[in-house]
Amino acid sequence: LLDHLDPARFRPTVVVTSTGPLYRQLRARRHSVVVLPLSSRVGRLGKHQGIASILGALVALPSLVAMLVRLWRLLRANEGCVVLTFSIKADVYGAVAAALARRPCVWYMHDLLSPDMFPPTYRRTLAWLANRLPRYVLCNSAATRRALLESGVRPSMAMAAELGVDTKATVAPADVQRVRRELGAPNGPVLGLIGRIAPWKGQHVVVEAAPTVLQSFPNVVFWLVGGALFGDIDTSYEARLRQRILEGSLGRHVVLTGHRDDISAVMACSDVVLHTSVKPEPFGLSIVEAMAQGKPVIATRSGGVPEVIDDGRTGVLVPPGDAPALADAIIRLLRDPEAAMAIGRAAREAVRERFSIEASAQRIGDALQRACAGQ
């Protein structure tokens, strides 16, 4: 998005709370980055922690206040700026600092506030804040917007603005060869699932479907690409996945690769890209990225995904958590390579028409311009 915002209209500065991978990538691309340190306790706060979350917030309060003061000073020093936030935590502290500095704020909502993902009090509180703090709430899909409205956000506050991908990007053959060498790609088909290791992302559905697929394609390999990023829930889930892979003697066929930054190259190595979230996906950026490469995608029919995939034409949709349906869809695509290639071609064309980063940057830029103008 930063690479494609109109430089005649915007001079972006990115605020991060630590010098992690995102910071390094932004600096490498010569974007302006400011680090405002924030206690790691804030990063660990989550909707599933209950009373522990409240206690953690109290302990982290001094760090949060210090960061808010620094952010307020930064915003006050920049006349005519607008704040764009990209996560729920950032929505809250970014909007508070913006209000104190008398600067407009726009939220970019990437979470689908479904009842099975967020407790009722959490949804109502966030909706109350959304109706009062930002000028707009941009949503990464129509499904995300619907969930906001159902939570109590006013329709005039929320608008869909899908985040696009670079449809002109290419992957160097050397990078493809390196990934195949590092991950041990076999002579048979490669199926890639990209996403952080987490229960709702449904990597266990792939583990359950693998034995059925292996009966028809003994050389197939599944790459589960991603890390367990957010606390004990994710790490314990990863441990259970490894145990199930071991118990099923699937070690040669189901590979947990850990976190990787070279996702485009991983997708280029994959014959089919999988998406197996068992709860509604807000949008599914990895799905669009795979489609942009002309890869056939098998994805879960929930959340914003049906907005992206035309079932049977630009991809294949299966019910959430249905391992037999996933295995059947995989086998059908692998048995009919021409049909799989046709789906991939149609997918690439659909992304070029609907999800280019240029169009996305224009949509988001227009919204930021309106917020600056007070419209």
Side-chain angles (χ1 to χ4, degrees):
L1 175 61
L2 292 173
D3 290 343
H4 290 85
L5 282 174
D6 184 353
R9 302 167 70 191
F10 302 101
R11 290 183 292 109
T13 293
V14 182
V15 177
V16 296
T17 58
S18 66
T19 54
L22 176 60
Y23 171 83
R24 293 190 291 272
Q25 290 178 28
L26 291 168
R27 289 295 300 270
R29 289 173 175 262
R30 300 184 181 277
H31 292 299
S32 172
V33 192
V34 173
V35 182
L36 300 182
L38 186 61
S39 169
S40 60
R41 290 189 180 96
V42 177
R44 291 195 295 268
L45 298 179
K47 57 185 177 291
H48 302 296
Q49 292 177 286
I51 190 66
S53 180
I54 297 173
L55 295 175
L58 292 175
V59 172
L61 190 59
S63 171
L64 182 58
V65 170
M67 193 273 275
L68 280 172
V69 171
R70 296 187 187 102
L71 183 55
W72 171 79
R73 289 173 178 165
L74 175 66
L75 298 179
R76 289 295 295 172
N78 287 271
E79 191 72 31
C81 72
V82 58
V83 177
L84 178 64
T85 59
F86 271 81
S87 73
I88 289 180
K89 293 189 185 77
D91 291 342
V92 176
Y93 60 68
V96 169
L100 293 173
R102 297 182 183 276
R103 302 290 185 255
C105 179
V106 175
W107 288 3
Y108 200 159
M109 183 63 63
H110 296 269
D111 291 271
L112 196 151
L113 296 185
S114 62
D116 56 346
M117 288 286 283
F118 292 85
T121 302
Y122 192 106
R123 296 169 67 217
R124 287 194 297 267
T125 301
L126 196 64
W128 188 89
L129 294 172
N131 284 326
R132 289 160 177 82
L133 292 179
R135 291 279 176 87
Y136 305 112
V137 181
L138 302 181
C139 305
N140 64 352
S141 69
T144 297
R145 182 177 184 271
R146 283 194 301 273
L148 279 177
L149 302 188
E150 291 167 1
S151 299
V153 175
R154 296 193 305 272
S156 60
M157 287 294 299
M159 61 187 74
E162 298 93 344
L163 187 59
V165 298
D166 186 355
T167 58
K168 302 181 183 67
T170 58
V171 181
D175 289 335
V176 174
Q177 294 171 6
R178 173 183 51 78
V179 169
R180 293 184 68 87
R181 185 170 59 251
E182 290 175 359
L183 298 183
N187 294 325
V190 174
L191 295 101
L193 187 154
I194 291 87
R196 69 174 240 245
I197 300 296
W200 77 275
K201 286 291 187 179
Q203 284 88 357
H204 62 277
V205 183
V206 174
V207 177
E208 293 170 8
T212 301
V213 177
L214 286 166
Q215 290 176 10
S216 299
F217 294 91
N219 293 328
V220 74
V221 65
F222 297 86
W223 290 345
L224 307 185
V225 184
L229 302 180
F230 296 111
D232 294 340
I233 292 177
D234 292 354
T235 53
S236 61
Y237 176 67
E238 180 180 14
R240 293 196 302 272
L241 283 176
R242 293 187 182 280
Q243 183 63 31
R244 293 174 74 170
I245 291 168
L246 181 65
E247 292 172 352
S249 300
L250 297 171
R252 289 178 50 247
H253 299 282
V254 181
V255 180
L256 277 74
T257 72
H259 175 79
R260 296 186 69 95
D261 293 321
D262 51 357
I263 295 303
S264 293
V266 171
M267 287 181 174
C269 295
S270 303
D271 297 284
V272 178
V273 173
L274 306 177
H275 165 275
T276 57
S277 293
V278 295
K279 293 185 178 180
E281 185 78 50
F283 176 56
L285 187 60
S286 64
I287 295 173
V288 179
E289 290 172 332
M291 292 169 65
Q293 287 197 28
K295 298 295 179 179
V297 176
I298 301 172
T300 294
R301 185 188 289 107
S302 67
V305 176
E307 300 172 32
V308 177
I309 288 180
D310 180 2
D311 188 20
R313 191 179 73 85
T314 62
V316 178
L317 297 178
V318 295
D322 192 333
L326 177 63
D328 180 66
I330 292 170
I331 291 169
R332 281 190 284 113
L333 282 186
L334 295 182
R335 281 178 174 167
D336 193 346
E338 290 187 3
M341 290 176 62
I343 288 174
R345 288 193 297 269
R348 183 190 290 117
E349 188 59 32
V351 170
R352 287 174 177 171
E353 292 176 358
R354 298 178 54 205
F355 301 112
S356 72
I357 189 60
E358 292 86 0
S360 176
Q362 183 69 41
R363 286 192 295 269
I364 295 169
D366 290 345
L368 295 177
Q369 198 93 54
R370 290 195 300 272
C372 283
Q375 298 175 354

